[in-house]
Amino acid sequence: MSTEATTLPAPTSASPTARQVWTRTRGVVFGVVLLLVGAVTIAVINSGTRRGGLDPRSADPRGSRAVATLLADRGVSTRVVTTLAEASAAADADTTLLVAVPDLLTDRQQQQLHTATESAGGRTVLVAPGSPSVGTLAPGVTADPAISFHSKLSPDCDLPAARRAGTADTGGFRYDTTATDADTCYPSDGLPTLVRVPAVTGNGDTVVLGAPDILYNDRLDEHGNASLALQLLGSRPHLVWYLPSLSDLSRTDPGERSFFDLLPSGWLWGTLQLFFAAVLAAFWRARRFGPLVPERLPVAIRASETVEGHARLYRKTNARDRAAGALRSTTRTRLAPLVGVPVPQAHAPEALLPALSSHLHDHGDGQTLHSLLFGPPPRDDAALISLADQLDALEREVRRP
């Protein structure tokens, strides 16, 4: 029989195909999509009824509808605004301006709001401002880094509203002030959690409240919370409730605040801790350098079990190309000595195929043997099984005397 010189086919790629990647990840993708759909559905359902915390329109436990209702019964109107322009325009002698979350305001917004309220003659109530916002909105007042862990506190001051209310849940931020005419109430470990600073001119004042608890729906009926809230917010006939919004156009100030300035410090610390944890995990899981150390297996593993284990792994990853390559390589290695070909040349078609063709008497030409021993990977599992059967039959034929 004659054979033609052939070359080895191009090696197949071991990288997973797009179909294999989709098969492995579709469960995770479906799970993520399901979570997103659920989150959007819940948000849509609740969007019409639920509002944020400290919102006088909200009946949630952390809302403030109850105090707004009580103020309305006493003739005090409540209006909600969400922009700095509306809040600044509302400041006058007959109005109490409550700033729900002062720390959401940018430095420029705080300056503009203080300018609008310092000579208006009304009252400004700042709910739990931290540093440095309290220093801008209430000059002369500073926030202590250590907060109060005591919720219910006694007034211990001469402010009439505090004395009438008695104990209240004001524990939170603690403050210090350099104003000699300021009222400092509800102290915790020597520092007040409520400060009232009179305006330099006029009858206005600024009230700094260390915690929002007295305004919550679920806390209003405890201790003297309701009395203190109604007196602080009901001293004027109108109440403007300012809920700072991230969509307020006045927040746009690229020249003053960078992206990292807008991130809370807790996020930065959390990211740093995650980074160190990832580094430690990498060192823990990294490959140990050094010479290989042989270890005695605790049990003897049969060769058939190893073969079956490899087969299951190949089948799980649809690695028919690797399985077929292993079968063909092993068969060529066993056939080479039987037909007088050195083992190092067993994987060279030009050396193995002529010797194999001359040894066979009944079947197979060079092209058929080349396709069997060096051909492309099978397309499916049935073709892989057929390939294994044909290789086994070929080896039995060569071994036949």
Side-chain angles (χ1 to χ4, degrees):
M1 299 183 184
S2 62
T3 60
E4 299 179 357
T6 57
T7 59
L8 279 170
T12 58
S13 174
S15 300
T17 63
R19 183 175 181 179
Q20 292 173 342
V21 173
W22 167 248
T23 302
R24 299 174 190 175
T25 60
R26 61 186 176 185
V28 177
V29 173
F30 287 149
V32 172
V33 171
L34 184 62
L35 288 177
L36 291 177
V37 172
V40 172
T41 303
I42 294 174
V44 171
I45 293 175
N46 294 332
S47 60
T49 57
R50 297 181 63 86
R51 298 182 183 272
L54 281 181
D55 192 326
R57 300 163 296 185
S58 173
D60 294 341
R62 288 297 184 262
S64 302
R65 181 187 292 182
V67 67
T69 302
L70 293 177
L71 287 171
D73 294 340
R74 287 159 176 76
V76 178
S77 64
T78 300
R79 180 166 64 96
V80 177
V81 298
T82 57
T83 65
L84 178 63
E86 293 175 315
S88 300
D92 58 40
D94 294 331
T95 300
T96 298
L97 176 63
L98 182 144
V99 185
V101 191
D103 290 348
L104 285 182
L105 301 176
T106 64
D107 295 341
R108 189 173 68 171
Q109 286 180 313
Q110 294 169 11
Q111 290 286 356
Q112 293 177 351
L113 183 62
H114 175 65
T115 301
T117 59
E118 63 178 344
S119 59
R123 167 170 288 182
T124 303
V125 178
L126 307 175
V127 181
S131 179
S133 62
V134 66
T136 303
L137 295 172
V141 180
T142 57
D144 191 78
I147 64 175
S148 170
F149 293 100
H150 305 287
S151 177
K152 185 178 73 171
L153 299 172
S154 300
D156 293 338
C157 67
D158 295 330
L159 183 65
R163 293 179 64 86
R164 286 192 291 267
T167 58
D169 292 319
T170 60
F173 281 106
R174 304 186 310 157
Y175 302 100
D176 194 6
T177 179
T178 58
T180 57
D181 55 348
D183 293 302
T184 56
C185 304
Y186 297 98
S188 174
D189 296 330
L191 291 177
T193 57
L194 186 151
V195 178
R196 189 192 74 89
V197 182
V200 177
T201 59
N203 297 322
D205 60 8
T206 299
V207 176
V208 182
L209 188 61
D213 297 46
I214 65 171
L215 305 176
Y216 288 151
N217 291 329
D218 62 345
R219 303 292 293 274
L220 193 63
D221 61 345
E222 299 179 5
H223 316 301
N225 293 348
S227 175
L228 183 60
L230 294 177
Q231 292 181 82
L232 293 179
L233 304 183
S235 62
R236 270 76 173 172
H238 305 293
L239 170 63
V240 174
W241 201 293
Y242 179 26
L243 296 173
S245 172
L246 295 177
S247 61
D248 189 354
L249 296 179
S250 64
R251 291 184 58 86
T252 306
D253 189 10
E256 294 185 7
R257 297 171 72 89
S258 66
F259 170 77
F260 293 101
D261 293 331
L262 299 176
L263 291 177
S265 59
W267 284 90
L268 299 178
W269 281 110
T271 304
L272 186 62
Q273 293 178 18
L274 289 176
F275 172 76
F276 282 113
V279 172
L280 292 176
F283 276 109
W284 172 55
R285 297 293 296 175
R287 177 177 296 177
R288 272 60 173 177
F289 297 102
L292 296 177
V293 179
E295 296 183 3
R296 186 184 300 275
L297 293 176
V299 294
I301 301 177
R302 293 182 299 175
S304 59
E305 294 182 1
T306 303
V307 172
E308 291 177 0
H310 287 175
R312 292 191 188 98
L313 291 176
Y314 286 145
R315 184 176 184 181
K316 183 177 181 180
T317 59
N318 292 325
R320 286 184 291 271
D321 53 348
R322 293 192 178 186
L327 290 173
R328 284 170 167 154
S329 176
T330 303
T331 301
R332 293 194 299 264
T333 302
R334 290 199 297 260
L335 290 178
L338 298 177
V339 296
V341 176
V343 174
Q345 299 182 14
H347 307 294
E350 63 275 10
L352 179 64
L353 294 180
L356 190 59
S357 297
S358 63
H359 191 81
L360 297 173
H361 303 288
D362 298 330
H363 68 279
D365 56 13
Q367 189 64 31
T368 303
L369 292 175
H370 183 279
S371 177
L372 180 61
L373 294 172
F374 299 95
R379 294 186 301 271
D380 50 33
D381 291 344
L384 179 62
I385 296 174
S386 176
L387 174 64
D389 292 339
Q390 294 177 32
L391 292 174
D392 186 57
L394 175 61
E395 185 173 352
R396 288 199 304 270
E397 178 68 19
V398 173
R399 292 180 181 276
R400 184 182 301 169

